[in-house]
Each structure stands twice: as C-alpha cells, then as structure tokens.
Amino acid sequence: MAVATLTYIALAISVGSAAYSIYAANQRQGPEGVGAKVQKRGTEAARKIPYGKCIVDSVNVYNNIDNDNAEWMCNIFSVGVGPIHNIHQLYVNENEVFAYERNTNLADNFVWDSNDGSFSDAYDQQRTKIQLKMGNELTPASSLAQTYSDGEWTVNHRGARVAQVIIAVKRSNSNDAPIVTAKYALTAKVSGVLVHDPRHNTDLSQKQFTHTDESIPLENRDCGRNPAICLLDFITDDYYGMGIDREYVDVASFLDTANWTDANQFYIDGTVDTSQTNGDCLSQILSTFQGVLVLEDGKIVCKYEDVELAPYPTVLDEENIIAFKNVIGLSESNYYNVVEVDYKNSVMGEKSDVYQIPSDIYEIPEGETKSRVEVDGFLKTKNISLPMTIANSSGEGDSLTVKAF
C-alpha cells in the first residue's frame, strides 16, 4: 500500500488527530457539505446519522404562517440523514403526537390528518396534518409543505436523503392546544438508516434495516442495529461516512465481529453527530461493544475482546495462589473501587443517565466491618461512556438491562 494511502487511513481513524479534525470541519462547512444550511429560516446544523432504534432530536429548517389563511402554520423538521427505515412516533415538548406507534410505511406523500383519529387526543382537538418522509434519494417534494408555504416551498425542495417531518397546524389560543407558537421542540422515535449486510447479500446496492429471510434467527434480523455492520457502513459510506474504499478494509473481520455481537446481543441505538471528527464518531460506535480498529497489512481490521471468565478454584494451592497474586498485584493507577456507566435510560425517554456500581459506595458487604472505600482509604472512580446504548433502569439498586425492541 502506498504511504499516502496508509497515512490517510491512519488519520481517518485517529481520535486525536488535529490535522484531520480541521480537514473534516472544512469539508463539512462548504456549500456542498452535510451541514449546509437548508433554507432561509433554519439554523446551520450537521445532519445526524441515526443507527438502530432511538429517539432523535430534530432541526427546524422551515416555518411559515400562511398568508392566505393565517390560521394555518407549517413547520418542517429534519430528523437526520436518510433513507431511514421508519418513523414510529413523534413527540412535541415530550408529549406523544400519534395515538399509537407506527410500524408500517405508507406512500411518501401520505398526509396524516387529525380527522382520521390517528393522533393523541390533544392533536385531534387541534386540527393537525402531518407528513413523514424517510429521506429517499428520489423523494418528491412535500405536498403538505407546498400547500402551506405561500409558494416558498416548491417542487424543487425535495430534501433528497433527508428524513423529514412536516407539520401543519391550525393555530389556536386555547390553553389546551399542544402547539401555540412557531418554535417548539420535536423529537422522533425512529428505526434508522438502511445498511448493507455482506453476510446475507453480496449486492452493495441492497440495503435494509431488517432481514426478511426467515432462516435468520429473529433476534438477529435487525442488521440496522448490529454495531459492526453499522461501523462498516460508516467507514465505507461516501455520502455521510468516511468514504474509505473497501479495498482498504478487512471486511471479513467486521463480519466476524457482527456474528459475535449478534451472539452476545450487543446493539447500537443512537445518533452519530457528523459535526464531530470521524475519530470521535468511530469511538462512539465502538463503545457499543468495546471494540477497536487496527491497521494490519495495510487494511482496517475490526477486533473485539471475547473474554471468558476463568472458573473459581475449589482448592487453593501454591500454583493458583501465585496466579491470584499476579492478578491482584495491580498498580495503583489501574485500580478503582467505583464504576460509573453513562448510558441512555429508556425509562427517562432515552435521556442520559448514570448507573453506579456499587449503588451505595459506603455499603458494608456481608461479613465485613467496613465498606470498600473505608478499607482502601480513598475513592477512585472508573467512568465508562456508552452514548449509543439504551438500557432500562427505573431506580436505585436496579440491574441494567439492554433494551429490547
């Protein structure tokens, strides 16, 4: 491999490369970049990549009050890079919009209307129309936006590869109306971008979120939630990812890791912020299974640590006592007595939360007279960040369970 190519890959996967950070920032701030401004009233913001099943923040890219009928107000939101698999639910100021979670896709220009009973009670009372667009490449411009934009949103405003939510509401002064101003917070529960899974399809153009092949175990069909497959997607995608040619990627190592993550039920459920460096984005994805990327023979290789705990000895003798001594004899810099795990708590609407082990650092273990902290004489915390992992935990002392969808 040429030195220039090797250097390029090394910079691309380096978390701390200042040179690559500047390069990536310049690439994304140009008029053709992912973060380019969409329209006159929106804010410049990089589109996020939703992987797996998660709640994503939106960017309000357009709003308008109809000149001909001032009762109607229209807002258009981006909910990330498309195409995505589905938009299941919307939340305005954290309140559900649909009466139920959607699991089927309708035509790209289908308009949901409060008259058909699809919305929660508050939106049935305030006349509301909603259009959901998954961000397909050849998507037509929103018919709802064209109706309520005074001609500003035209057939040319297609929003190719942008997942969109278009909401038109009849303005109301009622205290019970869920939407009363042009600025409101919208989030969406989505099944994210479609990915190519080389384990079951050799055609790179064929992407999906869920396999339909019934021979694949049900718990492994959501390839769009497989961390290794999504990692391969981000590294090789030339639109929102790093665009590295597969010639320089050890694809087999990613597929081996994908099988391992399937077997251990590790999932990726979160968004990649494209305003960050590629190195930071890679670190977030790798955190879902504690994997690493290395360069071997000029190719990017994905590795995981398959740890199997050694059986506890039933008899202590000189041999295993020495082995224990070697394990216990850690340097002070590698020792900690509290673990804090940062993750997204599904009970809290997928907001960030911290899970602490032990839950009470001053708890005295059974049979002991002092807590671990008192015995050590100090408190040292190890932090583990899992920004793309969703788990259930409803209170102190709960176990932490990865959320199943």
Side-chain angles (χ1 to χ4, degrees), residues 320-348:
N320 55 41
I321 288 175
I322 292 174
F324 282 167
K325 181 173 182 286
N326 291 337
V327 172
I328 295 173
L330 299 173
S331 67
E332 184 177 330
S333 62
N334 293 327
Y335 177 81
Y336 45 87
N337 47 26
V338 175
V339 176
E340 290 184 349
V341 182
D342 300 326
Y343 69 104
K344 294 189 298 182
N345 193 336
S346 62
V347 178
M348 298 168 54

Side-chain angles (χ1 to χ4, degrees), residues 59-119:
V59 176
N60 188 185
V61 298
Y62 179 86
N63 61 73
N64 183 67
I65 295 175
D66 195 347
N67 290 339
D68 297 329
N69 186 352
E71 288 185 325
W72 282 94
M73 176 176 66
C74 180
N75 285 68
I76 301 176
F77 300 88
S78 163
V79 291
V81 173
I84 63 174
H85 181 62
N86 210 338
I87 299 175
H88 302 285
Q89 181 61 279
L90 301 176
Y91 306 89
V92 170
N93 299 325
E94 300 187 359
N95 296 313
E96 293 182 349
V97 174
F98 287 105
Y100 55 91
E101 288 197 8
R102 303 175 54 261
N103 289 309
T104 56
N105 276 327
L106 299 178
D108 212 22
N109 260 337
F110 182 84
V111 176
W112 301 81
D113 195 310
S114 54
N115 288 340
D116 63 19
S118 298
F119 302 144

Side-chain angles (χ1 to χ4, degrees), residues 83-312:
I84 63 174
H85 181 62
N86 210 338
I87 299 175
H88 302 285
Q89 181 61 279
L90 301 176
Y91 306 89
V92 170
N93 299 325
E94 300 187 359
N95 296 313
E96 293 182 349
V97 174
F98 287 105
Y100 55 91
E101 288 197 8
R102 303 175 54 261
N103 289 309
T104 56
N105 276 327
L106 299 178
D108 212 22
N109 260 337
F110 182 84
V111 176
W112 301 81
D113 195 310
S114 54
N115 288 340
D116 63 19
S118 298
F119 302 144
S120 61
D121 291 342
Y123 292 92
D124 278 340
Q125 294 171 16
Q126 181 180 18
R127 185 70 189 281
T128 307
K129 299 180 181 181
I130 295 178
Q131 199 167 35
L132 305 176
K133 300 178 75 63
M134 304 304 139
N136 296 311
E137 179 72 38
L138 301 178
T139 185
S142 165
S143 58
L144 189 62
Q146 292 177 67
T147 301
Y148 293 102
S149 66
D150 295 310
E152 294 178 335
W153 200 271
T154 72
V155 293
N156 295 321
H157 292 80
R158 296 188 304 107
R161 302 210 64 175
V162 182
Q164 305 165 58
V165 176
I166 302 92
I167 301 179
V169 295
K170 201 167 187 177
R171 301 165 71 201
S172 171
N173 293 324
S174 170
N175 292 331
D176 297 327
I179 298 176
V180 294
T181 67
K183 298 294 184 181
Y184 53 90
L186 176 84
T187 54
K189 178 181 284 189
V190 307
S191 289
V193 293
L194 311 182
V195 296
H196 173 249
D197 186 348
R199 296 175 298 173
H200 305 289
N201 197 329
T202 57
D203 185 352
L204 294 178
S205 67
Q206 296 300 310
K207 296 186 176 184
Q208 58 271 115
F209 186 87
T210 301
H211 291 297
T212 57
D213 185 350
E214 294 185 358
S215 66
I216 302 172
L218 183 62
E219 63 272 18
N220 297 339
R221 289 181 194 171
D222 283 350
C223 55
R225 295 184 69 202
N226 184 292
I229 297 299
C230 292
L231 181 62
L232 178 63
D233 175 75
F234 181 76
I235 290 173
T236 58
D237 188 275
D238 59 6
Y239 178 72
Y240 54 72
M242 298 168 65
I244 294 179
D245 194 286
R246 287 174 181 252
E247 176 187 356
Y248 306 121
V249 179
D250 183 356
V251 175
S253 69
F254 285 81
L255 304 190
D256 179 51
T257 303
N259 292 331
W260 180 78
T261 55
D262 271 349
N264 288 277
Q265 296 185 35
F266 292 141
Y267 304 108
I268 178 171
D269 295 304
T271 57
V272 171
D273 185 351
T274 56
S275 67
Q276 297 181 327
T277 66
N278 283 337
D280 288 337
C281 295
L282 290 173
S283 294
Q284 289 185 11
I285 300 174
L286 287 164
S287 73
T288 58
F289 63 100
Q290 298 302 297
V292 295
L293 294 177
V294 297
L295 285 175
E296 289 184 357
D297 298 326
K299 291 191 175 186
I300 300 174
V301 179
C302 184
K303 291 181 177 289
Y304 60 90
E305 186 175 8
D306 192 3
V307 178
E308 183 175 343
L309 297 178
Y312 192 85

